[in-house]
Amino acid sequence: MKKKRLFVTMCMMGGFALLMSSCKKANESVEVSINLPQCEEKADGRAYIDFANGGAFKWNAEDQVAIYNLDAQNGANSERAIYQTTASAAGQATARFSFASGDQLSAKKSGYFVFYPVSKLDGELGEDNYQNFSVSATQQYSKDLNANPTIDLESMAMACTLGSLNGTFTLKHIFGILRLKLKGEGNVTRIVVEDSRFNLNGTVGMKLHAVDMDRFTSLQNMYINDDDPYANDNFVAAWNDYKEELSYSVAGGNEGKTITLECPSIGLNGDTETPFYVGLRPGALKYGFKVYVYIEGENEPHVLDYTGQNNLHYGIKAGVIKNISATL
C-alpha cells in the first residue's frame, strides 16, 4: 500500500456503509468488482467536474479493500477479510478484487461493509463490531502516471453500500480535498494545514453495523450549510443521537489539529499556479484555519491566514474539492 496511487488531475465525523448480501459458502473464492467514484470541484459557488476522464480515481496494482460480514446481534460472529487487485488493475477506474487474507466470508449475516484504504484500519474488529480507524498527520506529495500532481490516496477514505455481490458497485467518498494553487518563487518542501478548532489527524472509532450513510450525508449538509451549526439545536440533537448510536469516539488532542504534506522540493513557477492537494476529513476548516508553506532555504514559512472569517466557502465536504489561490 506504499505505492503511489493514480488519481486523474481528487470523518473523522464518521460515515461509512453496509455492503452486500451473499449465499456463498466460506470455502468459495469470491471476486467482487469495485468502481472508484468521481469527485466534484467547488468554485465560485458552483459544483462541477474538472478532471480528465470524468474526475475518476484510478486503482493501482495490488490495491486492497477491507470487507466485513457483520452480525449486528453478536459481534463475535462477524468476519473481516482483505481483498486485493491484480497487476491488471493499474490505471483502471474499475477493478476486480479477490480474497487475500483474513476471514473467509461466510453467508450474509446482518450486512456487509467495505472500506478503503486498508492502511487506515487500526487494530482488529472489536466487541460489538467496534472498529478504530487512524488518520495520519502526514501525507506525501504525489503524481499520477502522466506526471501530473494528484492526491495521496492514502489520505482519502471511501466506503459503500449495496445488497449483492453481483455486478459492479461504486465506493462513496468520506473525505474531501483542499487544493492549494500557489504562485511565487522557490521550492516548496512542506505544507502544513492547521485547523482552528477541530482535529485533522488521530483515531476515530465506531460500531460499523450502526453506520448509516444517508444520515451521515444529511448531517454533513446541515453542518456545512449553517454559519454556526453548533448553535443550531436541531443539528446538535441529531448529531448527538447519531454519535450515541455509533458509540463514536475520537482522539488526537491539540497536536491533532494539523496535516502536513511532505513535498520533494517542488518548484513554483512565478505567475503560473502550481497545485498541491491535501485530503481532509469532512467539516474541516469551517471555523477557520492557517496554511504554512515552507520554502527551501527560508527560515520561516509563508502563512496564509483564514481565521476569524466566515468559512462556508472553505468547509470541507466529502467528495468535493475546495480551492485556494495565493501568491507567496
Side-chain angles (χ1 to χ4, degrees):
M1 291 297 296
K2 293 188 181 294
K3 299 179 180 178
K4 285 185 172 66
R5 266 84 177 175
L6 175 64
F7 171 38
V8 181
T9 238
M10 159 178 193
C11 126
M12 304 230 358
M13 193 170 168
F16 305 116
L18 295 179
L19 163 87
M20 304 179 300
S21 62
S22 171
C23 58
K24 301 292 183 180
K25 302 299 182 182
N27 60 356
E28 290 187 272
S29 178
V30 177
E31 285 192 346
V32 295
S33 183
I34 305 176
N35 185 51
L36 283 166
Q38 296 179 338
C39 192
E40 290 182 356
E41 182 174 358
K42 196 73 171 181
D44 301 324
R46 297 183 300 114
Y48 60 100
I49 302 299
D50 189 43
F51 299 107
N53 300 319
F57 281 83
K58 299 297 180 69
W59 292 111
N60 196 9
E62 301 179 357
D63 263 331
Q64 294 182 330
V65 298
I67 298 178
Y68 298 77
N69 187 9
L70 299 171
D71 187 332
Q73 304 303 317
N74 184 358
N77 294 328
S78 295
E79 302 158 339
R80 186 179 83 179
I82 304 301
Y83 275 53
Q84 182 171 302
T85 65
T86 65
S88 64
Q92 302 300 313
T94 302
R96 298 289 294 178
F97 285 73
S98 58
F99 177 83
S101 62
D103 300 319
Q104 287 277 2
L105 301 181
S106 63
K108 176 188 173 183
K109 302 179 189 297
S110 300
Y112 294 82
F113 174 92
V114 64
F115 180 80
Y116 176 88
V118 170
S119 60
K120 277 187 165 55
L121 302 181
D122 189 353
E124 298 300 318
L125 185 64
E127 184 178 352
D128 205 12
N129 299 316
Y130 198 87
Q131 179 70 67
N132 284 318
F133 300 87
S134 63
V135 179
S136 174
T138 303
Q139 298 175 17
Q140 301 301 319
Y141 179 89
S142 301
K143 291 186 176 182
D144 62 27
L145 293 184
N146 295 314
N148 296 314
T150 185
I151 189 76
D152 177 2
L153 274 192
E154 295 287 339
S155 71
M156 301 306 294
M158 291 176 262
C160 77
T161 60
L162 71 162
S164 173
L165 282 171
N166 298 323
T168 300
F169 57 89
T170 301
L171 294 172
K172 294 183 179 180
H173 289 294
I174 298 170
F175 280 28
I177 295 174
L178 176 66
R179 175 163 58 188
L180 297 165
K181 298 184 289 186
L182 302 180
K183 296 179 181 180
E185 303 293 338
N187 297 323
V188 178
T189 60
R190 182 162 44 117
I191 295 174
V192 179
V193 180
E194 180 182 44
D195 196 282
S196 298
R197 184 163 178 175
F198 295 117
N199 289 333
L200 301 182
N201 73 76
T203 301
V204 59
M206 67 194 71
K207 296 177 182 178
L208 296 186
H209 67 263
V211 169
D212 184 330
M213 197 64 169
D214 289 339
R215 289 177 71 182
F216 164 66
T217 300
S218 176
L219 285 164
Q220 177 186 229
N221 289 337
M222 290 174 67
Y223 176 88
I224 290 295
N225 294 329
D226 196 318
D227 282 329
D228 189 5
Y230 288 100
N232 182 329
D233 291 341
N234 290 331
F235 169 79
V236 172
W239 176 223
N240 286 339
D241 286 346
Y242 190 40
K243 285 195 297 183
E244 184 175 356
E245 293 176 29
L246 289 171
S247 294
Y248 175 83
S249 67
V250 61
N254 290 332
E255 67 278 5
K257 296 186 185 300
T258 64
I259 291 289
T260 298
L261 179 67
E262 297 289 356
C263 304
S265 192
I266 303 301
L268 297 179
N269 191 22
D271 291 332
T272 301
E273 291 180 331
T274 300
F276 297 84
Y277 297 88
V278 182
L280 295 170
R281 49 151 284 192
L285 311 187
K286 180 178 173 65
Y287 283 93
F289 62 102
K290 292 181 180 180
V291 178
Y292 303 86
V293 182
Y294 291 81
I295 301 295
E296 191 172 42
E298 297 184 6
N299 294 327
E300 298 295 330
H302 297 258
V303 181
L304 309 178
D305 191 343
Y306 296 88
T307 58
Q309 58 183 279
N310 186 319
N311 284 292
L312 286 176
H313 178 73
Y314 297 119
I316 295 297
K317 186 176 181 180
V320 175
I321 301 163
K322 296 298 181 76
N323 293 289
I324 291 179
S325 295
T327 300
L328 303 183

